[in-house]
């Protein structure tokens, strides 16, 4: 029996999908542009990494709580048993990731630190093969090798410090970024295993754990002493956690995986441009080649998923 679908129906469906992808792309780009400015807030707040983590978690958690209240999603925050333990573990890893990232920025640069953290998807692939016994195709293995090569180029260590001197602090900053990206990969793995826990609940619990972990710090080492520092820290939580979360996840829900993988590099590219425009930190040609190599390999892997 032949059943023809009217042309107007298929046209309307295609138009609707196209509009959804356009909105999703715009939201992902906006989210990447927002996150690309995070280094400015960290630098201008001029606080210790632990203080910065505390107030990003505090203001970010409050922003997420208001977002969840407005969207009637607060019941998702009630976790028990393994789900609660997993969320706490993810919170510990995320606080570690943020602390290392914030500590690495003044030692390396906003652009370099951000780029190195984007090696995280390949740590996830390695962890999946080891922890979940996932099969790694030859294509993904080769891509991982090229991504690591791109990482080595992006650090500037192979460039002889032509544009930025390779000091002990710089190397320590690079090491912090690598360890931080591993911690972030651990968060991704926990989220992957705990598929029943929403991304909203996981993000809020990460902020809550971060506050509980670092709340003692200002009582011992002092509070931010200027109004501008408080403003930058509040922006770090509200804009780069609450707003960025809402925008990015709204965009991701409308897009294919391959498009998401490509658009995720709006964040590091923006960070590189911001670092150059605001603080005069430019990448060398070799470092830019490394960034492009990482972006291409990540896109190729995500596209094949």
């Amino acid at each position: 029996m032949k059943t023809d679908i009217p042309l107007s129906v298929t046209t309307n469906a295609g138009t609707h999908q196209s509009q959804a992808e356009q909105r999703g792309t715009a939201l992902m780009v906006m989210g990447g542009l927002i996150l690309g400015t995070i280094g400015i807030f960290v630098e201008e707040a001029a606080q210790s990494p632990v203080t910065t983590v505390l107030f990003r978690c505090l203001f970010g958690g409050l922003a997420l709580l208001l977002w969840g209240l407005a969207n009637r999603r607060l019941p998702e925050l009630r976790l028990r048993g393994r789900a609660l333990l997993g969320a706490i573990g993810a919170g510990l890893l995320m606080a570690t990731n943020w602390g290392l990232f914030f500590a690495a920025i003044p030692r390396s640069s906003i652009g370099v630190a951000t780029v190195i953290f984007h090696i995280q998807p390949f740590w996830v692939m390695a962890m999946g093969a080891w922890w979940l016994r996932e099969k790694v195709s030859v294509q993904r293995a080769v891509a991982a090798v090229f991504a690591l090569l791109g990482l080595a180029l992006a650090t500037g260590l192979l460039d002889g410090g032509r544009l930025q001197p390779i000091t002990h602090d710089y190397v320590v900053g690079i090491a912090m970024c690598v360890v931080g990206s591993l911690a972030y990969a651990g968060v991704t793995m926990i989220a992957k295993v705990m598929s029943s826990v929403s991304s909203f609940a996981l993000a809020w619990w990460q902020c809550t754990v971060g506050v509980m972990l670092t709340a003692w710090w200002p009582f011992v080492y002092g509070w931010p002493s200027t109004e501008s520092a408080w403003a930058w820290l509040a922006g770090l939580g509200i804009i780069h956690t609450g707003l960025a979360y809402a925008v990015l996840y709204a965009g991701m829900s409308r897009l294919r995986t391959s498009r998401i993988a490509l658009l995720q590099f709006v964040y590091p590219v923006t960070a590189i441009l911001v670092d150059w425009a605001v603080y005069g930190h430019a990448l060398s040609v070799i470092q830019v080649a490394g960034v492009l190599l990482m972006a291409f390999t990540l896109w190729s892997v995500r596209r094949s998923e």
Side-chain angles (χ1 to χ4, degrees):
M1 179 177 173
K2 183 178 179 181
T3 56
D4 292 327
I5 301 175
L7 180 60
S8 60
V9 174
T10 58
T11 302
N12 289 338
T15 301
H16 179 73
Q17 182 179 0
S18 176
Q19 290 175 346
E21 288 189 353
Q22 289 175 0
R23 287 194 296 270
T25 298
L27 288 168
M28 284 287 294
V29 170
M30 185 186 303
L33 292 173
I34 292 171
L35 288 176
T37 64
I38 191 172
I40 296 177
F41 285 70
V42 174
E43 292 276 23
E44 297 304 317
Q47 302 298 305
S48 72
V50 179
T51 300
T52 308
V53 169
L54 167 60
F55 289 106
R56 180 180 189 182
C57 290
L58 178 62
F59 290 117
L62 290 174
L64 288 172
L65 199 62
L66 292 174
W67 183 87
L69 180 64
N71 290 275
R72 300 180 180 179
R73 295 184 62 173
L74 293 187
E76 297 175 23
L77 302 181
R78 300 193 192 108
L79 303 180
R80 297 178 181 176
R82 291 182 61 188
L84 180 58
L85 290 176
I88 292 173
L92 293 172
L93 288 172
M94 185 59 81
T96 301
N97 162 53
W98 282 349
L100 289 170
F101 179 56
F102 297 152
I105 285 176
R107 288 177 169 84
S108 54
S109 71
I110 295 170
V112 170
T114 304
V115 166
I116 295 174
F117 265 88
H118 276 74
I119 199 67
Q120 171 261 353
F122 293 97
W123 298 144
V124 172
M125 184 178 70
M127 289 179 180
W130 171 68
W131 187 10
L132 303 178
R133 299 291 188 268
E134 293 179 345
K135 186 177 179 180
V136 179
S137 66
V138 174
Q139 178 186 356
R140 299 183 78 184
V142 171
V145 171
F146 278 101
L148 290 174
L149 174 60
L151 173 64
L153 295 174
T155 62
L157 296 177
L158 302 181
D159 200 16
R162 190 171 65 83
L163 294 182
Q164 184 163 345
I166 305 300
T167 62
H168 176 266
D169 254 10
Y170 186 86
V171 175
V172 169
I174 297 297
M176 286 178 169
C177 292
V178 173
V179 175
S181 69
L182 283 167
Y184 188 30
V187 174
T188 305
M189 290 301 298
I190 291 174
K192 189 173 184 179
V193 171
M194 298 192 319
S195 56
S196 61
V197 181
S198 70
S199 56
F200 162 63
L202 201 58
W204 183 84
W205 274 100
Q206 287 167 7
C207 289
T208 301
V209 171
V211 170
M212 295 173 65
L213 192 65
T214 59
W216 61 274
W217 183 269
F219 291 98
V220 177
Y221 295 100
W223 297 80
S225 57
T226 65
E227 292 181 0
S228 62
W230 281 103
W232 288 111
L233 291 170
L236 191 62
I238 296 169
I239 298 172
H240 296 96
T241 303
L243 177 61
Y245 162 84
V247 170
L248 282 173
Y249 281 97
M252 287 180 183
S253 66
R254 294 173 167 86
L255 296 172
R256 300 185 302 273
T257 302
S258 59
R259 178 70 64 86
I260 291 172
L262 188 61
L263 291 173
Q264 280 178 334
F265 266 82
V266 172
Y267 171 18
V269 169
T270 302
I272 291 169
L273 294 175
V274 164
D275 201 16
W276 167 70
V278 178
Y279 299 108
H281 298 153
L283 298 186
S284 68
V285 173
I286 290 179
Q287 286 179 295
V288 171
V291 173
L292 294 175
L293 184 57
M294 288 175 61
F296 175 75
T297 53
L298 177 59
W299 173 77
S300 66
V301 166
R302 291 286 179 85
R303 187 183 183 189
S304 65
E305 290 177 349

